[in-house]
Amino acid sequence: MRLRQPLASILAVLLLTILPVCAPPDTASEGQPLAPTEAVQALTPGGGLRFMTYNIKHGEVSSLESIASVINGQAPDVVALQEVDVLTHRSGKVDQAARLGQLTGLHHAFIPALLSYDGGQYGLAVLSRYPIRSVQRFALRSAAEQRALGVVEVELDAAHVIPVAVTHFGTTGAAERLNQAEDVKAALAGRPWALLGGDLNATPTESSITSLKAMLSDAWTRGGSGNGYTQSASFPTRRIDYLMLGSAWTSPVTAAVVGASSQSDHRPVVATLILPWSQSLFGDRVPANTVEEADTRAVEVGVRFRSNVPGTITALRFYRGTGNAAGYVARLWSGTGTLLAQVPVSDGRIPGWQEVLLPSPVSISANTLYVASYHTSNGRFARDPSGLASAVTSGNLTAPASASVGGNGVYAYGAGGFPAGSYKDTNYWVDVRFVPAP
């Protein structure tokens, strides 16, 4: 999957300036990428992507430490920040983008809206758990204070580099904001994997928002609950802060307003995006009971699951808290016990998720039960009784409620075989990696 897109079609109408990460802009060659100095971090096992937007009012209301605490509390992967000072007198000559990067442990990039302001610069920033590979600045048509769009390429893994955009629309009126929305659309044209976060200074019915939604979807509309009000933070009465998603983000989304009432004059919004190209049931969740110390018999434990769309299983996963002297074998079965794939698994991180690629991906049908399992020769498996009494759904995948399928999770004692028994609706923390069909 190729996510980088050419910019040639928009260079004629928009100002493009390439900026280095972690510092105010210097001159740089047009289109020059940043040197890949950071190692690429693997996505969180099972990975959803946590995306946040936050207008921090240049730390004036509280402190950068308080703002960082709000951000850290949500464990985001990518954060779009507005009203960020770099080396201004009013903020004590602090590089706020760099400082928030330090306080959160995230990579950072600063994109100025005002290239010269109060002895420094003022504008936008992006924080990212994953390496930032390039940064671009687009000047937006502005009736008063200059507004900008920052587009930052974030490398989620070797195959997926996505554009993360941040902006802050003007306050002079709907006509100005509509122009700015059109400029944003031009900059993001041909980038279906784009993410956009920002303070858009417009309620959902304004023409600028309607214009953006012709190309991007509103994360709150797709997965939020309630009114989504973000401003003013102490008693919110308006929804003007948005997370928007390019057309390729087709998997389910959840969104929430963070209850931060005193750190800024806006409340942040955070959304969790299921990665369309790689889904799992349990993600990076962990068991309450990581190991059954008393049971050391050989056993096959598993989970019944289905998808609401066709696709392929590319890997099998399970959580375990101790080593196994003879290693493991992971298996994929049809719902009636036909073995579809099996693969040996060496001990990895202890405790932790074990994940192994299948030699060949296995196609599965929509709305059809399958079983994923693993065999341990000395027991000592992770388990949470009643963990599957209710259905577990993540993206397109569901582990059905135990009573609805005659028992879930499942087990079989012995040398390994199709697990069909069930006891107390126990979740044995077995999982898959699923890729929906195109």
Side-chain angles (χ1 to χ4, degrees):
M1 183 182 301
R2 184 172 176 82
L3 302 184
R4 290 189 176 94
Q5 300 292 334
L7 294 172
S9 61
I10 58 175
L11 289 175
V13 294
L14 292 173
L15 173 64
L16 173 63
T17 305
I18 304 299
L19 303 178
V21 172
C22 309
D26 254 327
T27 57
S29 300
E30 184 175 288
Q32 179 180 345
L34 297 171
T37 55
E38 312 96 334
V40 177
Q41 175 180 332
L43 285 168
T44 300
L49 188 75
R50 296 272 288 172
F51 182 34
M52 174 187 277
T53 187
Y54 198 3
N55 182 324
I56 66 169
K57 198 173 175 60
H58 57 86
E60 179 182 80
V61 176
S62 58
S63 67
L64 295 184
E65 287 74 17
S66 295
I67 291 165
S69 179
V70 171
I71 295 170
N72 288 333
Q74 298 301 310
D77 296 294
V78 183
V79 187
L81 299 175
Q82 306 86 48
E83 297 200 28
V84 180
D85 277 357
V86 167
L87 306 180
T88 64
H89 293 294
R90 69 178 179 183
S91 295
K93 304 298 286 184
V94 172
D95 182 335
Q96 293 187 333
R99 180 60 179 152
L100 285 171
Q102 292 173 347
L103 292 169
T104 59
L106 303 176
H107 303 292
H108 69 278
F110 175 67
I111 305 96
L114 302 181
L115 298 171
S116 179
Y117 177 76
D118 190 29
Q121 295 180 324
Y122 169 74
L124 312 163
V126 170
L127 305 177
S128 173
R129 191 172 308 281
Y130 305 104
I132 293 171
R133 294 308 185 207
S134 69
V135 186
Q136 300 156 349
R137 174 184 182 268
F138 299 85
L140 305 180
R141 286 175 285 174
S142 304
E145 178 184 305
Q146 179 62 57
R147 304 291 171 150
L149 171 75
V151 180
V152 174
E153 283 195 323
V154 172
E155 186 171 356
L156 300 185
D157 59 33
H160 300 96
V161 179
I162 63 169
V164 177
V166 55
T167 194
H168 186 186
F169 282 0
T171 59
T172 62
E176 178 193 34
R177 290 188 288 273
L178 180 58
N179 283 336
Q180 291 166 348
E182 295 298 320
D183 290 347
V184 168
K185 287 164 61 180
L188 299 182
R191 301 185 185 205
W193 293 100
L195 302 176
L196 172 67
D199 171 3
L200 303 186
N201 275 313
T203 57
T205 58
E206 188 179 287
S207 58
S208 59
I209 305 303
T210 303
S211 175
L212 285 173
K213 288 170 70 173
M215 189 174 83
L216 307 168
S217 65
D218 180 357
W220 189 265
T221 301
R222 289 175 57 178
S225 178
N227 55 37
Y229 290 170
T230 57
Q231 207 271 335
S232 168
S234 58
F235 188 76
T237 58
R238 298 192 301 160
R239 181 159 91 92
I240 62 174
D241 297 274
Y242 295 82
L243 296 171
M244 292 195 168
L245 318 176
S247 60
W249 294 97
T250 56
S251 295
V253 175
T254 58
V257 174
V258 181
S261 60
S262 60
Q263 291 81 0
S264 178
D265 62 340
H266 289 243
R267 295 190 180 192
V269 183
V270 63
T272 300
L273 318 178
I274 300 295
L275 298 173
W277 60 85
S278 183
Q279 301 183 24
S280 75
L281 281 165
F282 301 115
D284 56 1
R285 294 165 54 192
V286 298
N289 302 294
T290 59
V291 62
E292 174 58 75
E293 297 288 355
D295 194 338
T296 58
R297 292 174 291 174
V299 65
E300 187 105 13
V301 292
V303 62
R304 289 185 166 120
F305 72 94
R306 61 174 174 253
S307 168
N308 63 358
V309 297
T312 56
I313 303 299
T314 60
L316 299 175
R317 318 173 63 230
F318 60 93
Y319 192 98
R320 61 102 174 93
T322 64
N324 186 60
Y328 301 88
V329 177
R331 297 184 173 99
L332 179 67
W333 313 80
S334 74
T336 56
T338 300
L339 182 62
L340 303 177
Q342 69 176 14
V343 60
V345 187
S346 300
D347 277 341
R349 182 165 55 96
I350 302 175
W353 282 100
Q354 314 301 296
E355 181 163 336
V356 60
L357 291 173
L358 296 179
S360 298
V362 175
S363 296
I364 65 170
S365 301
N367 303 310
T368 303
L369 275 180
Y370 296 87
V371 174
S373 67
Y374 75 96
H375 183 262
T376 169
S377 62
N378 65 346
R380 310 185 77 184
F381 44 84
R383 85 282 180 258
D384 283 335
S386 302
L388 293 175
S390 299
V392 174
T393 296
S394 177
N396 298 109
L397 296 172
T398 295
S402 184
S404 71
V405 290
N408 204 9
V410 288
Y411 69 92
Y413 281 105
F418 181 61
S422 182
Y423 179 70
K424 292 187 176 180
D425 311 325
T426 298
N427 183 1
Y428 296 111
W429 294 88
V430 185
D431 201 351
V432 296
R433 182 78 64 185
F434 173 69
V435 179

